[in-house]
Amino acid sequence: MDQNQNNNRNTIRTFEVHPEYDGTRLDKFLSVIYPELSRSFFQKMIKNGQVHIADCVLKPSCLVKEGDLVTVCVPPAVQADIRPEPIPLDILYEDEDVLIVNKPKDMVVHPAPGHYTGTLVNAVMYHCQDHLSGINGEIRPGIVHRIDKDTTGSLVVCKNDAAHNRLAEQMKAHSVTRRYRGIVTGVVKEDNGTICAVIGRDPKNRLKMACDVANGRPAVTHYRVLERFCSHSYMEFELETGRTHQIRVHMAKIGHPLLADPLYGPAKCRFHLQGQCLHAMTLGFIHPRTDTYMEFSAPLPSYFQELLDSRRNSL
């Protein structure tokens, strides 16, 4: 449940704790509701008395219970002051029009209220200086698409508006190649397949997306099994569309959620991973200036490769 009202300049929002979040730390629960904001931001809000559960005195480490009504007093939006930051970038390719980076885990793509530093945008602003497209405004300069905070891999940044427009057209036409690697729970029987299911906001839980909901949008994910282990499968996914959480929602729909997915997977993961085991490996598109097809691949992150190796050694 999500109830909204305005109180002076603050926005008050109330969320009901669903069964899957019973026993979750309060700061972690809030970071799931607002994935673009950090846990440290909510820890500060809790200490400042901007989060309430009935008449309880709260700490960030408090555990929420099923049925709790968590009220968050969101401060008013302020004019963003997005500054370049000398954050190292793993650059896969760069020219005068585009920059292809390998985004690390736990990095937010673009700033949001309460989280204006440490993002990919801060890093590319420093690296590119004044050479970024401005179509998305000061919050998201150069950003054509995004991947989740805990998803790693290939992402394109545009350095000028002409490149941005050409890439956005390709994204809209679903002509950009986007292949992901992931480890899912359970052994997937079919060697390959296609999932076609509408995706929209879950009407019962606004934290999630869901399949086959009213006002959803068509979504298509192609998959193939690369390796099977005793209780997991190593998969490749190719997106035909690009909906929010698409791979995560589609795999949960067929009973094989991504390993360590905090929203769509089992509550506990014995591998102690931080977020879903998903990597945007390959990105391909027609270059906006040369009209030549180009394709880039980001190597698997070390945590992912080590997990694969451990699964292989356990066979």
Side-chain angles (χ1 to χ4, degrees):
M1 180 176 66
D2 176 7
Q3 301 172 348
N4 302 321
Q5 69 182 88
N6 290 322
N7 182 9
N8 297 326
R9 297 174 60 197
N10 294 333
T11 300
I12 299 175
R13 310 190 76 172
T14 299
F15 304 91
E16 182 178 354
V17 177
H18 291 262
E20 60 264 44
Y21 300 109
D22 185 73
T24 302
R25 278 180 58 118
L26 177 58
D27 56 350
K28 183 176 181 181
F29 173 74
L30 292 171
S31 69
V32 172
I33 294 174
Y34 297 96
E36 72 278 10
L37 301 178
S38 66
R39 285 175 67 174
S40 60
F41 173 73
F42 287 115
Q43 289 167 3
K44 190 177 297 183
M45 285 188 66
I46 294 165
K47 291 175 181 177
N48 289 341
Q50 295 170 287
V51 181
H52 306 276
I53 301 178
D55 297 321
C56 298
V57 177
L58 300 178
K59 297 188 297 183
S61 60
C62 288
L63 304 183
V64 298
K65 298 179 293 184
E66 178 184 352
D68 278 348
L69 296 179
V70 181
T71 299
V72 184
C73 187
V74 182
V78 296
Q79 183 67 28
D81 183 17
I82 310 303
R83 298 180 181 274
E85 296 180 51
I87 301 170
L89 288 171
D90 183 358
I91 298 174
L92 303 176
Y93 174 82
E94 183 176 12
D95 62 24
E96 61 185 323
D97 298 297
V98 296
L99 171 69
I100 314 298
V101 299
N102 180 14
K103 188 189 83 66
K105 209 170 184 66
D106 198 34
M107 175 181 268
V108 174
V109 171
H110 54 76
H115 200 157
Y116 290 129
T117 62
T119 73
L120 182 65
V121 162
N122 296 109
V124 299
M125 286 177 67
Y126 182 88
H127 178 79
C128 298
Q129 299 180 12
D130 295 328
H131 303 290
L132 282 173
S133 69
I135 291 174
N136 274 333
E138 67 175 41
I139 297 291
R140 297 187 289 175
I143 302 301
V144 185
H145 66 122
R146 53 162 287 181
I147 53 181
D148 295 334
K149 181 181 73 170
D150 289 325
T151 298
T152 56
S154 306
L155 190 143
V156 60
V157 176
C158 290
K159 292 186 171 184
N160 53 67
D161 289 357
H164 194 128
N165 283 326
R166 288 291 306 277
L167 265 295
E169 289 171 0
Q170 294 180 55
M171 290 282 183
K172 186 176 180 180
H174 309 310
S175 61
V176 175
T177 300
R178 285 172 291 176
R179 288 194 293 270
Y180 288 67
R181 296 288 178 90
I183 299 177
V184 304
T185 60
V187 179
V188 179
K189 295 181 180 179
E190 302 82 6
D191 290 338
N192 52 70
T194 297
I195 306 170
C196 301
V198 165
I199 291 178
R201 183 68 58 184
D202 188 334
K204 298 180 180 178
N205 185 349
R206 74 168 299 276
L207 311 184
K208 296 183 175 184
M209 307 302 286
C211 289
D212 306 320
V213 296
N215 302 317
R217 302 174 69 188
V220 180
T221 303
H222 306 285
Y223 68 84
R224 68 186 180 101
V225 177
L226 301 177
E227 294 182 66
R228 294 181 176 91
F229 307 115
C230 59
S231 57
H232 301 91
S233 301
Y234 177 34
M235 310 278 291
E236 180 177 79
F237 309 98
E238 184 157 1
L239 295 182
E240 192 169 311
T241 55
R243 310 306 179 205
T244 302
H245 297 176
Q246 179 170 317
I247 294 171
R248 300 166 64 186
V249 176
H250 274 176
M251 293 310 296
K253 175 181 172 62
I254 66 170
H256 296 286
L258 284 156
L259 183 65
D261 191 323
L263 277 179
Y264 305 101
K268 295 183 180 179
C269 174
R270 62 190 177 95
F271 298 105
H272 306 292
L273 301 178
Q274 179 183 327
Q276 64 277 357
C277 194
L278 185 63
H279 177 67
M281 177 165 275
T282 303
L283 181 67
F285 53 85
I286 302 295
H287 191 279
R289 186 181 297 267
T290 66
D291 286 330
T292 302
Y293 179 77
M294 305 181 75
E295 194 169 278
F296 310 92
S297 290
L300 290 174
S302 57
Y303 90 91
F304 198 127
Q305 188 61 59
E306 290 166 4
L307 181 58
L308 277 178
D309 293 340
S310 71
R311 294 292 80 207
R312 290 163 180 158
N313 293 334
S314 68
L315 293 177

